[in-house]
Amino acid sequence: MEFKTIIEPFRIKTVEPIRHTTRAYREQALQDAGYNLFLLKAEDVLIDLLTDSGTGAMSSAQWAGMMLGDESYAGAKSFYKFERAVQEITGFKHVIPTHQGRAAERILFGSVLKPGDMVLNNTHFDTTRANVEYRQGTAVDIPIPEAHQPDLIHPFKGNMDLEALEAHLRDHWEYIAMVMITVTNNSGGGQPVSMGNIRAVSELCRHYRIPFFLDACRFAENAWFIKTREEGYADKTPLEIAQEMFSCADGCTMSAKKDGMANIGGFLALNNDEWANKAKTMLVITEGFPTYGGLAGYDLEAIAVGLHEALDEDYLRYRIRSVAYLGDILTANGVPIVQPPGGHAIYIDAKAMLPHIPPLTYPAWALSLILYLEGGVRSVEIGSVMFGLHPDGTETPAAMELVRLAFPRRVYTQSHVDYLAEVILHVNTLRDKIGGLRIIQQQPALRHFTARLEPLGSSR
Ligand code: F0G
């Protein structure tokens, strides 16, 4: 007999209390935080879905591994364990540890981009885009057109638009420094990229001799979608699928805070000797010696174990199902979300839910505030606050107005998700009463982290 209930494939050894607050308390907390959820105190949040990055629970094997951490400045045993784990999965020649994903991005782009260079991506994550633009490069997003239709169901909505890629390569190849594919496509709804698409992009890049990199943060979740959705992969292990994905690329940037199952860490891995040498020089100047790259030996141990745990089939089945479980409840009750549910998160389509709020008064931001106010739930806006402001100071609406509910790995159980669903369905009944906001203070880049806002209609 095979039972159909998919259970959390772990039991809980350590617990961390979470704290209920009153609605009045949260109202004050929001005001104090300038209506920016990034500026809240985490202890004032009941269920924290701000990010799945660095927020996961480590396993007993990871904690045990940490006790083996070799803290030698150079040539530590922990580095070689880390390097072996990364190479077994990615096959890349050079493995450069960094303190997190954006450090890998900065080191890569800082080593190879010239002003005016272009980087093409299915969709740049915000730090990736910021790092390209910081080097005076141009970050171009070319997802398939289906990616812009939140309610459209497509098995691999994270795919890159091959025609657009070919046109760019043909017309601008001399300015294109590299092509990247982000797996899964975080800013586009946590949507997977098919092996067929990765392979086709790889072939085009080889033809035009343009380096091809993966932004591999959620490589294991992407591998699971390939296994369950793409023909020919059902009998392959997630590890085999991941290896095949990486074999198509010349390198990758990675935040080990996601599918590395660690609280901190990342890496840049690549085959090109010259680029690796440049990157290592930059690493020594700003991160640390190449065998630790800003991490403790024990962090390298945790990642070495975590990378393989992320590829465990029982874990991936539970992981992807627990996100889809919330998606199913919301869909059944008429809450518009990006379809189908992504790997690490549910994205509520605020444009569809709050059509009365114009994009530049930030509907998704407004919705994320109400979810906190009503239920103590913290989410993140992926919309015009995050993406609306351009380097030249102009502001235009983002392609989509989404509220992301990102699931930390191995942290919340099904009753947390049931509570969450109840909060969202309640907020959905209030939707006509939700209003927009204006920004009263902001930074020129990555403004969402620090901006202060006020509800429209309120006076300062
Ligand atoms: N690339 C992608 C696709 C990401 O999702 C992230 C981080 C990064 C790069 C940068 O990695 O945070 O380790 O420096 N995403 C987090 C999130 C922050 O909430 O989605 P990092």
Side-chain angles (χ1 to χ4, degrees):
M1 174 75 191
E2 237 185 73
F3 297 103
K4 62 180 189 310
T5 306
I6 296 171
I7 61 169
E8 286 87 357
F10 49 79
R11 52 187 183 174
I12 295 165
K13 198 187 288 257
T14 306
V15 297
E16 181 185 3
I18 51 178
R19 192 167 70 101
H20 282 278
T21 52
T22 62
R23 191 179 183 282
Y25 181 94
R26 294 191 292 273
E27 200 164 6
Q28 186 62 49
L30 276 179
Q31 203 179 327
D32 294 346
Y35 297 93
N36 184 338
L37 298 179
F38 281 103
L39 303 181
L40 285 177
K41 291 202 175 83
E43 64 177 357
D44 292 340
V45 176
L46 183 65
I47 304 229
D48 204 344
L49 306 177
L50 181 67
T51 178
D52 63 323
S53 179
T55 51
M58 290 212 298
S59 67
S60 46
Q62 284 178 292
W63 284 110
M66 286 181 79
M67 291 306 294
L68 302 174
D70 175 354
E71 304 303 339
S72 305
Y73 189 92
K77 247 191 322 219
S78 303
F79 170 73
Y80 295 106
K81 221 183 271 181
F82 167 84
E83 182 184 51
R84 207 176 319 122
V86 174
Q87 281 177 335
E88 186 191 349
I89 297 167
T90 68
F92 296 128
K93 185 171 168 195
H94 304 282
V95 177
I96 300 171
T98 59
H99 78 272
Q100 60 185 84
R102 69 198 68 181
E105 292 163 1
R106 187 181 56 78
I107 283 162
L108 174 65
F109 300 141
S111 311
V112 308
L113 284 198
K114 299 186 301 301
D117 277 353
M118 278 164 86
V119 178
L120 309 179
N121 202 318
N122 46 351
T123 309
H124 289 82
F125 181 66
D126 57 355
T127 61
T128 324
R129 169 173 289 278
N131 271 297
V132 171
E133 291 174 350
Y134 191 68
R135 302 297 305 181
Q136 293 168 35
T138 308
V140 181
D141 293 340
I142 43 169
I144 54 171
E146 288 89 337
H148 294 305
Q149 287 169 261
D151 55 351
L152 188 131
I153 297 199
H154 183 293
F156 292 103
K157 228 175 170 177
N159 282 356
M160 181 174 268
D161 183 335
L162 295 172
E163 271 177 42
L165 172 65
E166 185 148 28
H168 274 96
L169 288 170
R170 193 182 53 231
D171 300 340
H172 311 293
W173 63 268
E174 68 271 39
Y175 299 110
I176 299 175
M178 75 182 80
V179 174
M180 293 185 87
I181 285 193
T182 304
V183 291
T184 56
N185 186 10
N186 184 10
S187 307
Q191 299 294 326
V193 181
S194 72
M195 191 72 82
N197 191 256
I198 293 173
R199 195 167 285 292
V201 169
S202 169
E203 280 163 14
L204 276 169
C205 289
R206 292 216 168 131
H207 179 74
Y208 284 91
R209 297 176 191 277
I210 304 289
F212 170 43
F213 275 61
L214 291 178
D215 175 339
C217 295
R218 299 178 181 83
F219 74 97
E221 290 166 7
N222 201 77
W224 184 257
F225 283 116
I226 290 175
K227 180 176 169 71
T228 52
R229 293 185 185 169
E230 193 162 352
E231 216 185 307
Y233 289 92
D235 297 329
K236 296 213 160 111
T237 65
L239 173 62
E240 287 166 343
I241 297 170
Q243 287 166 332
E244 189 176 332
M245 281 161 45
F246 286 110
S247 74
C248 297
D250 302 301
C252 71
T253 54
M254 172 74 188
S255 168
K257 301 171 75 173
K258 283 85 169 172
D259 280 348
M261 302 288 228
N263 299 126
I264 195 72
F267 55 85
L268 168 65
L270 69 174
N271 287 330
N272 183 306
D273 297 336
E274 190 196 326
W275 281 21
N277 284 336
K278 282 189 184 164
K280 281 184 196 170
T281 304
M282 181 86 76
L283 188 82
V284 175
I285 296 170
T286 60
E287 291 272 310
F289 190 75
T291 60
Y292 73 88
L295 295 171
Y298 53 67
D299 295 322
L300 296 168
E301 295 275 347
I303 298 166
V305 176
L307 284 169
H308 279 282
E309 289 184 353
L311 289 164
D312 179 81
E313 291 202 15
D314 284 339
Y315 161 72
L316 282 170
R317 184 178 296 110
Y318 136 80
R319 167 82 177 152
I320 302 302
R321 178 58 206 150
S322 55
V323 175
Y325 174 77
L326 176 64
D328 290 350
I329 299 175
L330 298 184
T331 305
N333 287 281
V335 176
I337 61 167
V338 173
Q339 298 286 2
H344 66 297
I346 289 293
Y347 296 66
I348 302 176
D349 179 359
K351 213 186 260 181
M353 186 167 166
L354 306 170
H356 59 284
I357 305 185
L360 291 181
T361 58
Y362 316 124
W365 193 275
L367 177 59
S368 72
L369 296 180
I370 302 299
L371 288 172
Y372 174 70
L373 181 65
E374 295 297 324
V377 172
R378 178 155 68 170
S379 54
V380 72
E381 185 248 29
I382 300 194
S384 291
V385 178
M386 187 180 273
F387 287 125
L389 184 66
H390 305 292
D392 63 2
T394 58
E395 192 181 15
T396 55
M400 294 193 279
E401 300 292 338
L402 306 175
V403 170
R404 185 186 74 173
L405 303 151
F407 285 46
R409 292 169 180 74
R410 306 187 289 207
V411 169
Y412 294 115
T413 63
Q414 190 169 339
S415 63
H416 292 111
V417 179
D418 286 333
Y419 170 85
L420 188 60
E422 203 181 330
V423 171
I424 298 168
L425 298 186
H426 167 67
V427 165
N428 195 31
T429 66
L430 308 175
R431 63 186 184 275
D432 295 342
K433 301 197 193 91
I434 302 174
L437 298 107
R438 76 169 140 251
I439 293 179
I440 54 176
Q441 202 180 305
Q442 66 179 356
Q443 294 296 319
L446 299 178
R447 65 175 173 176
H448 50 289
F449 290 131
T450 53
R452 297 185 82 85
L453 294 91
E454 69 180 8
L456 288 174
S458 68
S459 59
R460 267 198 275 170

